[in-house]
Amino acid sequence: MERKLPPGQEWVDGLIPYDIGSVPPLRLEDFRLRIDGEVENPLQLTWEKLLSFRKPK
Amino acid sequence: MKADFHCVTRWSVPDLRWEGVLARTIIELCRPKEEVRWVLAYGREGYSTNVPYGYFAQEDTILAHKLNGKPLPPENGWPLRLVVPSLYAWKSAKYLVRLEFTREKRQGYWEERGYHDVGDPWKEERRWDSRA
């Protein structure tokens, strides 16, 4: 089967990273993912908590 | 989750294998209000991008911490990256540290600089100010 390529695109072998600036260092024990805004249950997830979620198939 | 990845600079990478937490799991946990239409994703380096809620909620949207079986490489967003395969890659914010659910549209880094609020590669939604 021919792979589907969106219009105006071409295939390459790997990701080509772009950044808007320098990325500050981070220790995983300091990592937090903040989930907020218009939600019933705002969250701050640690790295450990993130890894504990059931793996998608 | 396996998906092709399309960049607005016209390259696409086939069959990337991402592992992490599905956006749907996040939605179940935080329970966005009914009026939510947008998700703003923020990176720790100061990046931001706005993603339409309907695309964020697709079944293949993932908060990825592994790529092809290994921890995310630094240049691909370590330790966590939003991956929205249904949109151009600039919507897949690297170094993810915050997801903000909003009713009103607020534009992110590239959207303020002329890139599309939706960014669907199948509709070639590259910029909002031209089709180029």
Side-chain angles (χ1 to χ4, degrees), chain A residues 25-52:
Chain A
L26 173 77
R27 298 184 316 169
L28 281 183
E29 55 265 41
D30 297 330
F31 176 89
R32 298 288 182 280
L33 175 66
R34 205 167 126 200
I35 299 169
D36 61 1
E38 302 280 341
V39 297
E40 303 289 347
N41 185 31
L43 299 163
Q44 285 235 36
L45 302 176
T46 61
W47 187 248
E48 206 175 22
K49 181 74 186 165
L50 258 184
L51 295 188
S52 74

Side-chain angles (χ1 to χ4, degrees), chain A residues 3-28 31-43 45 47 50-51 53-57, chain B residues 4-7 9-16 19-22 26 29-33 36 44-45 47 63 65 67 75-76 78-80 94-101 103 109 121-122 124 126:
Chain A
R3 181 175 293 286
K4 299 250 289 180
L5 187 64
Q9 297 291 111
E10 61 179 77
W11 293 117
V12 297
D13 288 336
L15 294 169
I16 304 164
Y18 302 100
D19 282 306
I20 60 161
S22 63
V23 183
L26 173 77
R27 298 184 316 169
L28 281 183
F31 176 89
R32 298 288 182 280
L33 175 66
R34 205 167 126 200
I35 299 169
D36 61 1
E38 302 280 341
V39 297
E40 303 289 347
N41 185 31
L43 299 163
L45 302 176
W47 187 248
L50 258 184
L51 295 188
F53 294 118
R54 189 169 47 88
K55 275 192 175 177
K57 293 270 190 290
Chain B
D4 300 339
F5 204 53
H6 309 294
C7 180
T9 58
R10 300 187 179 273
W11 53 263
S12 294
V13 183
D15 285 341
L16 293 173
E19 290 171 59
V21 182
L22 291 178
I26 298 296
L29 284 171
C30 73
R31 301 195 307 277
K33 293 176 185 168
V36 163
R44 74 177 186 275
E45 88 286 32
Y47 186 70
L63 281 59
H65 50 71
L67 172 58
E75 68 275 17
N76 295 136
W78 182 91
L80 189 71
K94 301 199 284 189
Y95 323 108
L96 185 68
V97 289
R98 183 181 176 201
L99 292 169
E100 185 188 10
F101 293 77
R103 314 168 195 227
Y109 183 87
W122 301 98
E124 278 211 72
R126 295 173 189 273

